[in-house]
Amino acid sequence: MAPDGGSGAGDRAGTSGETADEGAALLDDLRAAIGRYVVLPSDEALTAVTLWVAASHIQPALQHAPRLAVVGPTKGCGKSRVLDVLHETVHQPMMTVNTSPAVVFRVIGKNPPTLLVDEADTIFGPKAGDKEDLRGLLNAGHQRNRPAWRISGPEHKPTAFPTFAMAALAGIGDLPDTIMDRAVVLRMQKRKPGERIAPFRSRYSVPELNTLRDRLTAWLAPLRSTAEGLVPQMPVEDRAADTWEPLVIVADLAGGRWPVQARAACLAMTGNEVVQDEQTTLKTRLLRDIRRVFEQQVDPESLRSHDLLAALIQDAEAPWAEYGTKGLNAYHLANLLRDFGISPANHRFENGRQAKAYARNQFLDAWARYCPDPAQPAPAAGEAVLAHRAQGKPPAPPLGTLPIGPPGGPSGPKPTR
């Protein structure tokens, strides 16, 4: 059933006014408690985390299990502290850093736990190893009725294991797109001087948060059947609506100012992710344009920073002349390329003078990963070997796929996610 009139003002059937007041006050208390222990990037993010915690208590009534992506550029941004708070407030928490997929498959049932995954790079990053099963579980578990089939038991029968469960994942850098698209994203930052939080101590923090958890259970457990029938009016569409609908349902159940606040947070945070996606697309455009400049210069080993900037800005169809307030500059260029492990360095040119420049071999790895040239497909490995053997020469690496030297300096490029 949809809220009366679809106004998004918190009207709903099957609950009393007293319950609505109780729910709004409880969410206010939970929001205040979370805000005491962590500094979140915005008021909207604090609202989103509060509603995500509450939504975990009606998981059996939900069609989608939104992920909570807690990401930051470096360590020390409060990601693990967010998980500490979630562990004491969500429904049936299951904290894991390096668990077996078989364990997770077997603990998810009709009343699934809330998965809390710290150090998510052990699943998605270069250290992932053989964790593809766990990665697949986290992708599939966003939507109900997406089981994982395994051969199980002494009779080796095909068995369907449920995957549907809410999950919060914390890690440095963005998670894969398949997770980010299904997540409410918290982009954590280090605290500024003057930003204070209460220390998290088990002797008093855990009892306080557990009391809030028990109050959430007492309020929301009887409302699961009501929540299952709600079709809230959403300010977004498609995948974003699937992800945010459980949070908006909780807000509509609570009433008060929460329905409006939830939808405002939804618009603000999904809009922020659109900007992030556009920035990523802009960086890919920059890589393509830089490759074009190198090709026009007959692929020199390096280009001076100011020469590269001049060539980029001269392209009337590119956005670089209007980038920022006065066009793309050296600082902007270095900042946009930093995530690819590319940075300028001092180079000596033919006149003996040194200048800041970009070496072509720094870009080869990024070009191959993010904007491969379809006009020059790499030959199949077997064809290349046969061709060179026929000429009596050892095979050479495919052109345009391997860097001449370590891309981005000794540390190499940052791992992509």
Side-chain angles (χ1 to χ4, degrees):
M1 82 188 92
D4 296 342
S7 64
D11 300 329
R12 51 184 168 76
T15 59
S16 67
E18 289 77 17
T19 304
D21 293 339
E22 173 192 348
L26 175 52
L27 291 184
D28 288 342
D29 292 345
L30 176 61
R31 190 179 192 276
I34 295 172
R36 280 198 295 274
Y37 291 110
V38 292
V39 175
L40 290 164
S42 65
D43 286 342
E44 292 82 5
L46 181 55
T47 295
V49 174
T50 302
L51 292 170
W52 191 90
V53 168
S56 71
H57 292 268
I58 56 168
Q59 282 192 72
L62 301 177
Q63 179 64 31
H64 292 88
R67 278 69 186 99
L68 186 69
V70 189
V71 298
T74 64
K75 62 182 181 180
C77 292
K79 300 180 294 296
S80 296
R81 178 53 49 82
V82 171
L83 293 190
D84 290 337
V85 174
L86 296 181
H87 186 269
E88 306 307 329
T89 52
V90 299
H91 166 75
Q92 197 177 325
M94 179 181 174
M95 180 76 81
T96 177
V97 174
N98 193 22
T99 190
S100 161
V103 172
V104 181
F105 280 135
R106 283 163 175 78
V107 299
I108 295 177
K110 292 183 179 179
N111 187 24
T114 305
L115 304 177
L116 306 176
V117 184
D118 203 358
E119 300 181 14
D121 56 322
T122 62
I123 300 173
F124 304 115
K127 297 180 285 184
D130 59 353
K131 300 292 175 52
E132 286 300 317
D133 279 353
L134 189 54
R135 176 174 176 164
L137 181 153
L138 291 168
N139 281 333
H142 177 259
Q143 185 170 343
R144 190 175 292 281
N145 299 324
R146 296 292 187 273
W149 287 86
R150 295 291 183 273
I151 299 297
S152 181
E155 298 180 359
H156 302 287
K157 289 185 177 180
T159 304
F161 289 95
T163 63
F164 182 77
M166 289 178 65
L169 303 97
I172 295 176
D174 279 9
L175 303 173
D177 288 344
T178 53
I179 295 293
M180 299 293 275
D181 284 348
R182 295 166 169 82
V184 175
V185 181
L186 303 182
R187 296 192 175 275
M188 304 293 291
Q189 299 289 338
K190 282 195 172 185
R191 285 188 289 128
K192 294 183 294 186
E195 288 183 325
R196 296 286 183 262
I197 58 173
F200 188 90
R201 298 292 183 268
S202 296
R203 62 183 180 274
Y204 56 81
S205 303
V206 169
E208 173 198 6
L209 295 174
N210 285 173
T211 298
L212 289 167
R213 178 200 61 199
D214 295 342
R215 290 174 60 193
L216 286 170
T217 301
W219 169 49
L220 288 169
L223 297 179
R224 286 178 180 174
S225 59
T226 302
E228 190 172 7
L230 287 178
V231 184
Q233 184 179 22
M234 297 297 298
V236 292
E237 298 178 337
D238 303 326
R239 180 67 56 76
D242 294 341
T243 298
W244 278 83
E245 184 181 74
L247 281 65
V248 173
I249 285 175
V250 169
D252 284 351
L253 289 172
R257 62 189 175 89
W258 280 94
V260 173
Q261 194 167 301
R263 289 168 172 85
C266 173
L267 283 172
M269 295 183 69
T270 54
N272 183 62
E273 290 309 299
V274 169
V275 172
Q276 292 289 332
D277 290 343
E278 289 175 350
Q279 183 75 355
T280 301
T281 303
L282 189 70
K283 292 177 182 178
T284 305
R285 167 67 186 266
L286 179 61
L287 287 175
R288 291 198 304 267
D289 287 353
I290 290 175
R291 181 174 59 190
R292 174 183 52 77
V293 173
F294 270 97
E295 290 172 350
Q296 290 174 346
Q297 300 292 330
V298 198
D299 288 333
E301 292 184 3
S302 59
L303 281 174
R304 293 178 179 87
S305 297
H306 71 269
D307 291 339
L308 179 56
L309 281 167
L312 291 170
I313 292 172
Q314 286 174 2
D315 186 351
E317 297 181 359
W320 312 120
E322 298 177 356
Y323 187 88
T325 56
K326 297 181 179 180
L328 190 71
N329 59 33
Y331 173 80
H332 296 148
L333 182 62
N335 191 49
L336 289 170
L337 294 174
R338 186 175 295 118
D339 286 346
F340 302 112
I342 299 170
S343 59
N346 288 325
H347 286 256
R348 190 177 298 277
F349 290 89
E350 63 280 355
N351 56 9
R353 293 184 177 180
Q354 287 190 347
K356 288 287 186 181
Y358 288 89
R360 182 181 181 277
N361 64 1
Q362 285 186 295
F363 292 91
L364 298 182
D365 182 78
W367 286 339
R369 292 178 185 274
Y370 297 99
C371 50
D373 188 356
Q376 297 179 349
E383 294 174 1
V385 171
L386 290 174
H388 282 278
R389 283 180 178 171
Q391 299 173 12
K393 298 178 181 179
L399 293 175
T401 59
L402 295 177
I404 298 171
S411 61
K414 296 182 181 179
T416 56
R417 293 182 181 267

